[in-house]
Amino acid sequence: MTDFHYRDQVLHVESASLTDIAARFGTPCYVYSRAAMERRWRAFDRAFENRAHLVCYAVKANSTLGVLQVLARLGSGFDIVSVGELERVLAAGGDPARTVFSGVGKREDEMRRALEVRIRCFNVESEAELRRLDGIAGSMGRIAEVSLRVNPDVDPGTHPYISTGLRDNKFGIAHEDAVRLYRFGNGLANIKMTGIACHVGSQIVALAPFQDTAARMAALAQELERAGLPVQHVDLGGGLGVRHEEQEQPPEPAALVNVLCAAFAGMDVELRIEPGRAIIANAGVLLTRVEYLKQNGPKRFAVVDAAMNDLLRPALYHSWHDIIPVRAGDGLAEFRYDIVGPVCESADFLGHDRALAIEAGDLVAVCSAGAYGAVMASNYNSRPRAPEILVDGPQVHEIRRRETIADLLRPEKPVP
Ligand code: LLP
């Protein structure tokens, strides 16, 4: 995390001190580095060099308008999974013609809106979905471009909740049905089958699953071509992991892109990818303040003001996030703490058994929290959601304000 560094023993994001940010916006809060997200997006984009390609940022990873704006201004494409995400992309100035629509359960109104604003392509996951899309496109006098999402049956070697490319998963259609369905789609009056797509899982930290996936997709593209069914683009999904633990060494974006390009060498297809986490995870931290230190028997706890409602990943996936002090080396004794929040659940922890030299009132940063952090936050325990701050060099922008209790109560209605 090169954009997060200590200066005068205080953790900074680019040129902004996290102590100052906490004083100005309160805690807990999410803090993002614009430079970090731009650098990662460009690393993907540049690695394709002269090959026709589209980097579609997976909006689900972090859909805050300010984040989407930054990426839209780089010329990013977007991968969306709902009409809500589509409206966010549009509101952020994203280009619908660079937007692909993934997901197993697209509703009619979602398809209609996506056709209306002329998105680039639907990644379709079933025969039933093809029929529905054909009907809606026909009623609107439109032709829908479709990528068929196939399930390459590759084990990404990641947490079962975030692996999607195995055979018995709900995602995609079976490899052996692909040719038949592609032909079927081409026979529909208002559908144009233009490509194939896949996504095998998330937080993948090795190249091998991507290599296998790309090889299978390249073989399928050739099979379709041989059957007289042209393929203009192949979407290889997202899934590249980030370093969540010291010893993990996930591949760099360029290494992934090189593997993909190699698998399609000599084939005239546009390559698409849908990275989310790899762009935004390490561009963000969750900043939180220690409320209390306490000891139960031999166990020490640091009770902080962020909780599982702010960052669900440790509770849901047992994921690791480095937790580091904002003020480094001020001579306190180091102990091992469980870092826990105030929510009434034993699963409410941000990290177990972390060595930290801290006292009550100190700030700590929960790292790699830019992806699947703010977007998965809830109001559990009637906790207003945290603000999001975007740092851009010395400038600090609040891109989402803290929710208030009044915000929480607003949609509710009294019993008559
Ligand atoms: N494309 C499709 C079709 C996807 O389903 C996903 C993620 C992505 C792209 C982006 O994957 P990424 O590059 O971010 O790995 N909440 C979980 C992650 C769920 C990912 C679901 N699909 C977590 O916090 O780890």
Side-chain angles (χ1 to χ4, degrees):
M1 298 204 305
T2 49
D3 301 288
F4 296 76
H5 52 90
Y6 289 92
R7 185 188 298 167
D8 302 328
Q9 304 208 318
V10 173
L11 188 59
H12 282 63
V13 180
E14 301 189 28
S15 309
S17 129
L18 283 177
T19 310
D20 293 349
I21 288 178
R24 191 164 152 202
F25 301 101
T27 52
C29 73
Y30 278 97
V31 186
Y32 309 124
S33 156
R34 177 174 186 168
M37 58 183 89
E38 290 186 338
R39 179 167 334 101
R40 294 289 282 191
W41 186 90
R42 287 202 177 102
F44 281 108
D45 192 58
R46 287 191 180 142
F48 281 102
E49 292 177 0
N50 296 324
R51 173 145 210 147
H53 70 278
L54 189 58
V55 178
C56 295
Y57 166 70
V59 174
K60 64 168 80 67
N62 186 321
S63 57
T64 306
L65 291 179
V67 169
L68 301 183
Q69 276 177 329
V70 166
L71 296 171
R73 288 174 195 171
L74 295 179
S76 185
F78 295 95
D79 165 48
I80 57 165
V81 291
S82 72
V83 71
E85 287 189 352
L86 176 57
E87 297 301 347
R88 283 182 172 277
V89 168
L90 297 172
D95 183 1
R98 288 167 176 266
T99 299
V100 303
F101 197 163
S102 300
V104 284
K106 301 176 196 78
R107 293 191 313 261
E108 286 192 12
D109 62 298
E110 294 183 306
M111 290 179 168
R112 205 173 286 286
R113 178 69 174 144
L115 284 164
E116 191 177 278
V117 301
R118 298 178 193 273
I119 64 160
R120 175 73 146 259
C121 169
F122 291 82
N123 291 354
V124 165
E125 305 217 10
S126 65
E127 182 174 333
E129 190 188 334
L130 271 180
R131 290 180 194 274
R132 175 182 280 184
L133 183 58
D134 179 54
I136 293 171
S139 74
M140 297 173 69
R142 291 278 164 84
I143 301 291
E145 287 201 13
V146 167
S147 225
L148 194 60
R149 174 157 172 193
V150 297
N151 190 331
D153 198 20
V154 167
D155 184 356
T158 180
H159 191 285
Y161 288 8
I162 51 178
S163 85
T164 43
L166 279 167
R167 227 189 140 68
D168 54 359
N169 230 284
K170 74 175 174 184
F171 297 100
I173 55 138
H175 202 111
E176 61 269 21
D177 292 336
V179 175
R180 180 183 65 78
L181 266 185
Y182 206 94
R183 183 172 287 120
F184 171 78
N186 262 342
L188 296 173
N190 312 295
I191 298 282
K192 187 170 171 212
M193 302 300 291
T194 51
I196 51 178
C198 67
H199 169 79
V200 294
S202 201
Q203 184 53 19
I204 302 172
V205 291
L207 281 177
F210 291 110
Q211 231 148 9
D212 291 354
T213 303
R216 286 178 195 218
M217 295 298 281
L220 177 59
Q222 281 161 340
E223 195 182 329
L224 288 163
E225 292 277 353
R226 279 197 302 275
L229 301 164
V231 174
Q232 293 167 22
H233 48 85
V234 178
D235 183 336
L236 295 143
L240 182 62
V242 297
R243 210 181 71 161
H244 274 312
E245 283 194 68
E246 203 73 49
Q247 64 274 21
E248 274 178 341
Q249 289 293 347
E252 286 296 311
L256 168 62
V257 170
N258 291 343
V259 158
L260 304 181
C261 288
F264 289 88
M267 292 174 67
D268 183 22
V269 290
E270 175 186 294
L271 293 184
R272 296 180 183 169
I273 51 169
E274 305 169 352
R277 185 189 323 264
I279 290 175
I280 197 80
N282 281 337
V285 296
L286 175 60
L287 181 61
T288 179
R289 193 178 291 280
V290 178
E291 293 282 350
Y292 304 99
L293 295 182
K294 67 179 276 186
Q295 196 166 353
N296 284 352
K299 198 138 191 95
R300 290 174 190 269
F301 295 91
V303 184
V304 297
D305 63 5
M308 65 188 290
N309 76 294
D310 301 300
L311 181 64
L312 184 60
R313 304 195 69 256
L316 189 57
Y317 314 112
H318 277 263
S319 61
W320 175 284
H321 294 259
D322 280 340
I323 300 177
I324 58 176
V326 167
R327 186 171 290 281
D330 49 7
L332 294 168
E334 185 176 280
F335 295 104
R336 301 193 81 86
Y337 296 96
D338 280 7
I339 314 297
V340 300
V343 162
C344 303
E345 301 263 355
S346 292
D348 181 28
F349 67 92
L350 298 173
H352 284 139
D353 203 31
R354 304 303 179 87
L356 282 166
I358 45 172
E359 59 185 352
D362 280 356
L363 294 165
V364 296
V366 183
C367 300
S368 314
Y372 306 109
V375 277
M376 290 175 77
S378 77
N379 295 123
Y380 189 38
N381 280 204
S382 284
R383 289 168 52 84
R385 271 174 295 182
E388 294 172 80
I389 313 300
L390 180 75
V391 177
D392 184 1
Q395 289 172 18
V396 174
H397 308 291
E398 185 180 41
I399 56 173
R400 187 180 206 274
R401 68 160 169 82
R402 187 181 302 284
E403 272 177 342
T404 62
I405 304 288
D407 289 332
L408 302 196
L409 300 186
R410 196 162 297 128
E412 301 187 28
K413 298 177 182 179
V415 177

